[in-house]
Amino acid sequence: GITIQDAVDSSTDATILWNATNDEFDFSHGITLPDSKKITLGTGSDLQIFHDGSNSRIKDEGTGNLSISTNGNEVEINKGTSEYMIRAITDGAVKLYYDNSLKIETTSTGVDVTGVITTDGLTTSADINFGDNDKAVFGTGNDLQIYHDGSNSYIRDLGTGNLRIDATDFYIRNSAGTELKIGAVDDGAVNLYYDGSKKFETTSTGVKTTGTVNVNNAYTLPTSDGTSGQVLQTD
């Protein structure tokens, strides 16, 4: 190899040695390049490492991909050595941080997010899971809230306007989706059900009931026919 001798102290001599076993050069000291001077790798200078005077850059100028691999447990991007920015764990999570605070973590089933999601649009082909009392909120003042508190599910309108549901036909059913409770048909009837059986419906001229009509537990209109001339009277 090559030895660069220190004329004052031979213990600080520098060497460039050829390592035939590993087919490489071994440098005893670091290498310093001035701004914009590059370390280039590949026949076509495909990979470039340099500092341009303002920023440090790793550039892939080739036709393939830039791949970062590790034999260790993690690939990390740190601010110095004390603050995480990105961590990728072998056979595990990828973690994204903000000011050293974990915000996004991939899991075996999806993604865990800590904090509020702010987006101009979100498209998903899978479920979005919220824990108990975690809310999907809409509106500048969190006017509309959808959540489950561990016992009950809620759709809450906390704004100054109305809660409106626009639909061609509207149905409320049991949790299994097998039994109607309320049905509203566009340009048609609103129907009320008992145990899946229709009991009340609006018509173009008024209302129609199925079964006995009971008013305040005081007046009952039976389903069977009465006598001719029979009237309802009270004092």
Side-chain angles (χ1 to χ4, degrees), residues 83-126:
E83 186 172 305
Y84 286 123
M85 302 170 78
I86 300 175
R87 296 172 65 196
I89 301 173
T90 302
D91 298 327
V94 174
K95 301 181 179 183
L96 305 182
Y97 295 77
Y98 180 88
D99 195 20
N100 208 34
S101 178
L102 179 62
K103 297 301 179 183
I104 298 177
E105 178 178 1
T106 60
T107 69
S108 60
T109 56
V111 178
D112 287 344
V113 177
T114 301
V116 177
I117 298 177
T118 302
T119 176
D120 291 332
L122 177 64
T123 301
T124 177
S125 59

CSV table of all heavy atoms in Angstrom, one decimal, residues 83-126:
chain,number,residue,atom,x,y,z
A,83,GLU,N,-32.6,12.5,19.0
A,83,GLU,CA,-34.0,12.8,18.7
A,83,GLU,C,-34.4,12.0,17.4
A,83,GLU,O,-33.8,12.1,16.4
A,83,GLU,CB,-34.2,14.2,18.4
A,83,GLU,CG,-35.7,14.6,18.2
A,83,GLU,CD,-35.9,16.2,18.2
A,83,GLU,OE1,-35.5,16.8,19.1
A,83,GLU,OE2,-36.4,16.7,17.1
A,84,TYR,N,-35.4,11.1,17.5
A,84,TYR,CA,-35.8,10.3,16.4
A,84,TYR,C,-36.6,11.1,15.4
A,84,TYR,O,-37.4,12.0,15.8
A,84,TYR,CB,-36.8,9.1,16.9
A,84,TYR,CG,-36.0,8.0,17.6
A,84,TYR,CD1,-36.4,7.7,18.9
A,84,TYR,CD2,-35.0,7.3,17.0
A,84,TYR,CE1,-35.7,6.6,19.5
A,84,TYR,CE2,-34.4,6.3,17.6
A,84,TYR,CZ,-34.7,5.9,18.9
A,84,TYR,OH,-34.1,4.9,19.5
A,85,MET,N,-36.5,10.8,14.1
A,85,MET,CA,-37.3,11.3,13.1
A,85,MET,C,-38.0,10.2,12.4
A,85,MET,O,-39.2,10.2,12.2
A,85,MET,CB,-36.4,12.1,12.1
A,85,MET,CG,-35.7,13.3,12.8
A,85,MET,SD,-34.5,14.1,11.8
A,85,MET,CE,-35.5,15.1,10.7
A,86,ILE,N,-37.3,9.1,11.9
A,86,ILE,CA,-37.8,7.9,11.3
A,86,ILE,C,-37.1,6.7,11.9
A,86,ILE,O,-35.9,6.7,12.0
A,86,ILE,CB,-37.7,8.0,9.8
A,86,ILE,CG1,-38.4,9.2,9.2
A,86,ILE,CG2,-38.3,6.7,9.1
A,86,ILE,CD1,-38.2,9.3,7.7
A,87,ARG,N,-37.9,5.7,12.2
A,87,ARG,CA,-37.3,4.4,12.6
A,87,ARG,C,-38.0,3.3,11.8
A,87,ARG,O,-39.2,3.2,11.7
A,87,ARG,CB,-37.5,4.2,14.1
A,87,ARG,CG,-36.8,5.1,15.0
A,87,ARG,CD,-37.1,4.9,16.4
A,87,ARG,NE,-36.7,3.6,16.9
A,87,ARG,CZ,-37.2,3.1,18.0
A,87,ARG,NH1,-38.1,3.7,18.8
A,87,ARG,NH2,-36.8,1.9,18.4
A,88,ALA,N,-37.2,2.4,11.2
A,88,ALA,CA,-37.8,1.2,10.5
A,88,ALA,C,-37.2,0.0,11.2
A,88,ALA,O,-36.0,-0.2,11.2
A,88,ALA,CB,-37.4,1.2,9.1
A,89,ILE,N,-38.0,-0.8,11.8
A,89,ILE,CA,-37.6,-2.0,12.6
A,89,ILE,C,-37.7,-3.2,11.8
A,89,ILE,O,-38.7,-3.5,11.2
A,89,ILE,CB,-38.4,-2.1,13.9
A,89,ILE,CG1,-38.3,-0.8,14.7
A,89,ILE,CG2,-38.0,-3.3,14.7
A,89,ILE,CD1,-39.2,-0.7,15.9
A,90,THR,N,-36.6,-4.1,11.8
A,90,THR,CA,-36.6,-5.3,11.1
A,90,THR,C,-37.8,-6.2,11.5
A,90,THR,O,-38.0,-6.4,12.7
A,90,THR,CB,-35.3,-6.1,11.3
A,90,THR,OG1,-34.2,-5.2,10.9
A,90,THR,CG2,-35.3,-7.4,10.5
A,91,ASP,N,-38.6,-6.7,10.5
A,91,ASP,CA,-39.7,-7.5,10.8
A,91,ASP,C,-40.7,-6.8,11.7
A,91,ASP,O,-41.5,-7.5,12.5
A,91,ASP,CB,-39.3,-8.9,11.4
A,91,ASP,CG,-38.5,-9.7,10.5
A,91,ASP,OD1,-38.7,-9.6,9.2
A,91,ASP,OD2,-37.6,-10.4,11.0
A,92,GLY,N,-40.8,-5.5,11.7
A,92,GLY,CA,-41.7,-4.8,12.6
A,92,GLY,C,-42.1,-3.5,12.0
A,92,GLY,O,-42.3,-3.3,10.8
A,93,ALA,N,-42.3,-2.5,12.9
A,93,ALA,CA,-43.0,-1.3,12.5
A,93,ALA,C,-42.1,-0.3,11.8
A,93,ALA,O,-40.8,-0.3,11.9
A,93,ALA,CB,-43.5,-0.6,13.8
A,94,VAL,N,-42.7,0.6,11.0
A,94,VAL,CA,-42.1,1.8,10.6
A,94,VAL,C,-42.7,3.0,11.4
A,94,VAL,O,-43.9,3.1,11.5
A,94,VAL,CB,-42.3,2.1,9.1
A,94,VAL,CG1,-41.7,3.4,8.7
A,94,VAL,CG2,-41.6,1.0,8.3
A,95,LYS,N,-41.9,3.8,12.0
A,95,LYS,CA,-42.4,4.8,12.9
A,95,LYS,C,-41.9,6.2,12.4
A,95,LYS,O,-40.8,6.4,12.1
A,95,LYS,CB,-41.8,4.6,14.3
A,95,LYS,CG,-42.2,3.2,14.9
A,95,LYS,CD,-41.7,3.0,16.3
A,95,LYS,CE,-42.1,1.7,16.9
A,95,LYS,NZ,-41.7,1.5,18.3
A,96,LEU,N,-42.9,7.1,12.4
A,96,LEU,CA,-42.6,8.5,12.1
A,96,LEU,C,-42.9,9.4,13.3
A,96,LEU,O,-43.9,9.2,14.0
A,96,LEU,CB,-43.6,9.0,10.9
A,96,LEU,CG,-43.5,8.1,9.6
A,96,LEU,CD1,-44.5,8.7,8.6
A,96,LEU,CD2,-42.1,7.9,9.1
A,97,TYR,N,-42.0,10.4,13.5
A,97,TYR,CA,-42.0,11.2,14.7
A,97,TYR,C,-42.2,12.7,14.3
A,97,TYR,O,-41.9,13.1,13.2
A,97,TYR,CB,-40.7,11.0,15.4
A,97,TYR,CG,-40.5,9.7,16.0
A,97,TYR,CD1,-40.1,8.6,15.2
A,97,TYR,CD2,-40.7,9.4,17.4
A,97,TYR,CE1,-39.9,7.3,15.7
A,97,TYR,CE2,-40.5,8.1,17.9
A,97,TYR,CZ,-40.1,7.1,17.1
A,97,TYR,OH,-39.9,5.9,17.6
A,98,TYR,N,-42.7,13.4,15.3
A,98,TYR,CA,-42.7,14.9,15.2
A,98,TYR,C,-42.1,15.4,16.5
A,98,TYR,O,-42.6,15.2,17.6
A,98,TYR,CB,-44.1,15.5,15.0
A,98,TYR,CG,-44.1,17.0,14.9
A,98,TYR,CD1,-43.9,17.6,13.7
A,98,TYR,CD2,-44.3,17.8,16.1
A,98,TYR,CE1,-43.9,19.0,13.6
A,98,TYR,CE2,-44.3,19.1,16.0
A,98,TYR,CZ,-44.1,19.8,14.8
A,98,TYR,OH,-44.1,21.1,14.7
A,99,ASP,N,-40.9,16.1,16.4
A,99,ASP,CA,-40.2,16.6,17.6
A,99,ASP,C,-40.0,15.5,18.6
A,99,ASP,O,-40.3,15.7,19.8
A,99,ASP,CB,-41.0,17.8,18.2
A,99,ASP,CG,-40.2,18.6,19.2
A,99,ASP,OD1,-39.0,18.5,19.1
A,99,ASP,OD2,-40.8,19.3,20.0
A,100,ASN,N,-39.6,14.4,18.1
A,100,ASN,CA,-39.2,13.2,18.9
A,100,ASN,C,-40.4,12.5,19.5
A,100,ASN,O,-40.3,11.7,20.4
A,100,ASN,CB,-38.2,13.5,20.0
A,100,ASN,CG,-37.4,12.3,20.4
A,100,ASN,OD1,-37.0,11.5,19.6
A,100,ASN,ND2,-37.0,12.2,21.7
A,101,SER,N,-41.6,12.9,19.1
A,101,SER,CA,-42.9,12.3,19.6
A,101,SER,C,-43.5,11.4,18.5
A,101,SER,O,-43.7,11.9,17.4
A,101,SER,CB,-43.9,13.4,20.0
A,101,SER,OG,-45.1,12.8,20.5
A,102,LEU,N,-43.7,10.1,18.8
A,102,LEU,CA,-44.3,9.2,17.8
A,102,LEU,C,-45.7,9.6,17.4
A,102,LEU,O,-46.6,9.8,18.2
A,102,LEU,CB,-44.3,7.8,18.5
A,102,LEU,CG,-44.8,6.7,17.6
A,102,LEU,CD1,-44.0,6.5,16.3
A,102,LEU,CD2,-44.9,5.4,18.3
A,103,LYS,N,-45.9,9.7,16.1
A,103,LYS,CA,-47.2,10.1,15.5
A,103,LYS,C,-47.8,9.0,14.7
A,103,LYS,O,-49.0,8.9,14.7
A,103,LYS,CB,-47.0,11.4,14.7
A,103,LYS,CG,-46.6,12.6,15.6
A,103,LYS,CD,-47.6,12.9,16.7
A,103,LYS,CE,-47.1,14.1,17.5
A,103,LYS,NZ,-48.1,14.3,18.7
A,104,ILE,N,-47.0,8.3,13.9
A,104,ILE,CA,-47.5,7.3,13.0
A,104,ILE,C,-46.7,6.0,13.1
A,104,ILE,O,-45.5,6.1,13.1
A,104,ILE,CB,-47.5,7.7,11.5
A,104,ILE,CG1,-48.4,9.0,11.3
A,104,ILE,CG2,-48.0,6.6,10.6
A,104,ILE,CD1,-48.4,9.5,9.9
A,105,GLU,N,-47.4,4.9,13.3
A,105,GLU,CA,-46.7,3.6,13.4
A,105,GLU,C,-47.5,2.5,12.6
A,105,GLU,O,-48.7,2.4,12.8
A,105,GLU,CB,-46.6,3.2,14.9
A,105,GLU,CG,-45.9,1.8,15.1
A,105,GLU,CD,-45.8,1.5,16.6
A,105,GLU,OE1,-46.3,2.3,17.4
A,105,GLU,OE2,-45.3,0.4,16.9
A,106,THR,N,-46.8,1.8,11.7
A,106,THR,CA,-47.4,0.7,11.0
A,106,THR,C,-47.4,-0.5,12.0
A,106,THR,O,-46.6,-0.7,12.8
A,106,THR,CB,-46.6,0.4,9.8
A,106,THR,OG1,-45.3,0.0,10.1
A,106,THR,CG2,-46.5,1.5,8.8
A,107,THR,N,-48.5,-1.3,11.8
A,107,THR,CA,-48.7,-2.5,12.6
A,107,THR,C,-49.0,-3.6,11.7
A,107,THR,O,-49.1,-3.5,10.5
A,107,THR,CB,-49.8,-2.3,13.7
A,107,THR,OG1,-51.1,-2.2,12.9
A,107,THR,CG2,-49.7,-1.0,14.5
A,108,SER,N,-49.2,-4.8,12.3
A,108,SER,CA,-49.5,-6.0,11.5
A,108,SER,C,-50.9,-5.9,10.9
A,108,SER,O,-51.2,-6.6,9.9
A,108,SER,CB,-49.4,-7.3,12.4
A,108,SER,OG,-50.3,-7.2,13.5
A,109,THR,N,-51.7,-5.1,11.4
A,109,THR,CA,-53.1,-4.9,10.9
A,109,THR,C,-53.4,-3.6,10.2
A,109,THR,O,-54.4,-3.5,9.6
A,109,THR,CB,-54.1,-5.1,12.1
A,109,THR,OG1,-53.8,-4.1,13.1
A,109,THR,CG2,-54.0,-6.5,12.7
A,110,GLY,N,-52.5,-2.6,10.3
A,110,GLY,CA,-52.7,-1.4,9.6
A,110,GLY,C,-51.8,-0.3,10.1
A,110,GLY,O,-50.6,-0.5,10.1
A,111,VAL,N,-52.4,0.9,10.5
A,111,VAL,CA,-51.6,2.0,10.9
A,111,VAL,C,-52.2,2.6,12.2
A,111,VAL,O,-53.4,2.7,12.3
A,111,VAL,CB,-51.6,3.1,9.8
A,111,VAL,CG1,-50.8,4.3,10.3
A,111,VAL,CG2,-50.9,2.6,8.6
A,112,ASP,N,-51.3,2.9,13.2
A,112,ASP,CA,-51.8,3.6,14.4
A,112,ASP,C,-51.3,5.1,14.3
A,112,ASP,O,-50.2,5.3,14.0
A,112,ASP,CB,-51.1,3.0,15.7
A,112,ASP,CG,-51.8,1.6,16.0
A,112,ASP,OD1,-52.9,1.3,15.5
A,112,ASP,OD2,-51.2,0.9,16.8
A,113,VAL,N,-52.2,6.0,14.6
A,113,VAL,CA,-52.0,7.4,14.5
A,113,VAL,C,-52.2,8.0,15.9
A,113,VAL,O,-53.2,7.7,16.6
A,113,VAL,CB,-52.9,8.1,13.5
A,113,VAL,CG1,-52.6,9.6,13.5
A,113,VAL,CG2,-52.6,7.5,12.1
A,114,THR,N,-51.2,8.8,16.4
A,114,THR,CA,-51.4,9.5,17.6
A,114,THR,C,-51.6,11.0,17.3
A,114,THR,O,-50.8,11.6,16.7
A,114,THR,CB,-50.1,9.4,18.5
A,114,THR,OG1,-49.9,8.0,18.8
A,114,THR,CG2,-50.3,10.1,19.8
A,115,GLY,N,-52.8,11.5,17.7
A,115,GLY,CA,-53.1,12.9,17.5
A,115,GLY,C,-54.2,13.0,16.4
A,115,GLY,O,-54.8,12.1,16.0
A,116,VAL,N,-54.3,14.2,15.9
A,116,VAL,CA,-55.3,14.6,14.9
A,116,VAL,C,-54.8,14.4,13.5
A,116,VAL,O,-53.7,14.7,13.2
A,116,VAL,CB,-55.8,16.1,15.1
A,116,VAL,CG1,-56.8,16.5,14.1
A,116,VAL,CG2,-56.3,16.3,16.5
A,117,ILE,N,-55.7,13.8,12.6
A,117,ILE,CA,-55.4,13.7,11.2
A,117,ILE,C,-56.0,14.9,10.4
A,117,ILE,O,-57.2,15.1,10.5
A,117,ILE,CB,-56.0,12.4,10.6
A,117,ILE,CG1,-55.4,11.2,11.4
A,117,ILE,CG2,-55.7,12.3,9.1
A,117,ILE,CD1,-55.9,9.8,10.9
A,118,THR,N,-55.1,15.6,9.8
A,118,THR,CA,-55.5,16.7,8.9
A,118,THR,C,-55.2,16.4,7.5
A,118,THR,O,-54.0,16.1,7.2
A,118,THR,CB,-54.8,18.0,9.4
A,118,THR,OG1,-55.1,18.3,10.7
A,118,THR,CG2,-55.3,19.2,8.5
A,119,THR,N,-56.2,16.4,6.6
A,119,THR,CA,-56.0,16.0,5.3
A,119,THR,C,-56.9,16.7,4.3
A,119,THR,O,-58.0,17.1,4.7
A,119,THR,CB,-56.2,14.4,5.1
A,119,THR,OG1,-56.0,14.1,3.8
A,119,THR,CG2,-57.6,14.0,5.6
A,120,ASP,N,-56.5,16.8,3.1
A,120,ASP,CA,-57.4,17.4,2.0
A,120,ASP,C,-58.2,16.3,1.4
A,120,ASP,O,-59.1,16.6,0.6
A,120,ASP,CB,-56.5,18.1,1.0
A,120,ASP,CG,-55.9,19.4,1.5
A,120,ASP,OD1,-56.5,20.0,2.4
A,120,ASP,OD2,-54.8,19.8,1.0
A,121,GLY,N,-57.9,15.1,1.7
A,121,GLY,CA,-58.7,14.0,1.1
A,121,GLY,C,-58.1,12.7,1.6
A,121,GLY,O,-56.9,12.5,1.8
A,122,LEU,N,-59.0,11.7,1.8
A,122,LEU,CA,-58.6,10.4,2.3
A,122,LEU,C,-59.3,9.3,1.6
A,122,LEU,O,-60.6,9.3,1.6
A,122,LEU,CB,-58.8,10.3,3.8
A,122,LEU,CG,-58.4,9.0,4.5
A,122,LEU,CD1,-56.9,8.7,4.4
A,122,LEU,CD2,-58.8,9.0,6.0
A,123,THR,N,-58.6,8.4,1.0
A,123,THR,CA,-59.2,7.2,0.3
A,123,THR,C,-58.7,6.0,1.0
A,123,THR,O,-57.5,5.8,1.1
A,123,THR,CB,-59.0,7.2,-1.2
A,123,THR,OG1,-59.5,8.5,-1.7
A,123,THR,CG2,-59.7,6.1,-1.8
A,124,THR,N,-59.5,5.0,1.3
A,124,THR,CA,-59.1,3.8,1.9
A,124,THR,C,-59.9,2.6,1.4
A,124,THR,O,-61.0,2.8,1.0
A,124,THR,CB,-59.2,3.8,3.5
A,124,THR,OG1,-58.8,2.6,4.0
A,124,THR,CG2,-60.6,4.1,3.9
A,125,SER,N,-59.2,1.5,1.3
A,125,SER,CA,-59.9,0.2,0.9
A,125,SER,C,-60.1,-0.7,2.1
A,125,SER,O,-60.5,-1.9,1.9
A,125,SER,CB,-59.1,-0.5,-0.2
A,125,SER,OG,-57.8,-0.8,0.3
A,126,ALA,N,-59.8,-0.2,3.3
A,126,ALA,CA,-60.0,-1.0,4.5
A,126,ALA,C,-60.7,-0.2,5.5
A,126,ALA,O,-61.0,0.9,5.4
A,126,ALA,CB,-58.6,-1.5,5.0
